[in-house]
Amino acid sequence: MEAYLEKSLDEWREDISEVLDQITHEYEDVMRELKIYKYKYGITKQVIQSTVNEEIIETIRENYHKPFEKKYNELKEYIKDLDEKRKVFQMFVNKIDEVKRKEAPNIDLAAAYR
């Protein structure tokens, strides 16, 4: 592979890798937040099921359950988007590596030692 082409691909791969790292970091942060809301949503659901007083149930629903459910569902959608972005940018990295591998000079080690 020509040096200018290899250099260009390496620079592009670096740029893509930085974006991928940022997406992965954000994915991990959102995943932690999603886990928090999964527990909050689940706990309020269990408390509501165990409570008989309708007034208390309604208060719990309005103050906790519905907001937690909304946030949980928003985070689930956001994590799906981030996961898709991660896959796409990882594809870039994989394809760049694949091209470089295919274009790399095939060195016959046996011939090199003759």
Side-chain angles (χ1 to χ4, degrees), residues 30-46 65 67-73 75-76:
V30 172
M31 192 56 101
R32 282 191 288 274
E33 191 175 2
L34 178 63
K35 191 172 187 177
I36 290 168
Y37 278 93
K38 177 183 175 187
Y39 280 107
K40 287 181 176 183
Y41 173 65
I43 289 168
T44 57
K45 187 175 182 179
Q46 290 173 3
H65 190 71
F68 292 161
E69 180 180 30
K70 181 180 180 204
K71 184 69 172 181
Y72 175 70
N73 289 327
L75 290 170
K76 276 192 340 185

Side-chain angles (χ1 to χ4, degrees), residues 37-80:
Y37 278 93
K38 177 183 175 187
Y39 280 107
K40 287 181 176 183
Y41 173 65
I43 289 168
T44 57
K45 187 175 182 179
Q46 290 173 3
V47 169
I48 287 171
Q49 290 172 346
S50 300
T51 304
V52 292
N53 184 317
E54 284 300 318
E55 185 178 322
I56 294 173
I57 290 173
E58 195 55 39
T59 301
I60 292 169
R61 273 196 184 114
E62 290 302 314
N63 293 334
Y64 302 107
H65 190 71
K66 287 180 183 178
F68 292 161
E69 180 180 30
K70 181 180 180 204
K71 184 69 172 181
Y72 175 70
N73 289 327
E74 288 171 358
L75 290 170
K76 276 192 340 185
E77 287 302 312
Y78 190 44
I79 208 78
K80 286 179 190 177

Side-chain angles (χ1 to χ4, degrees), residues 1 3 10 14 23 25 28 51 54 57-58 68 73 75 81 83-84 87 91 102 104 107 112:
M1 175 180 285
D10 286 342
E14 271 185 48
I23 293 168
H25 181 71
E28 290 166 355
T51 304
E54 284 300 318
I57 290 173
E58 195 55 39
F68 292 161
N73 289 327
L75 290 170
D81 291 343
D83 193 42
E84 182 65 22
K87 288 176 185 177
M91 255 193 294
K102 285 181 181 179
I107 299 173

Side-chain angles (χ1 to χ4, degrees), residues 14-27:
E14 271 185 48
D15 290 344
I16 295 293
S17 293
E18 286 177 20
V19 172
L20 180 58
D21 288 346
Q22 290 170 356
I23 293 168
T24 299
H25 181 71
E26 185 175 2
Y27 179 89

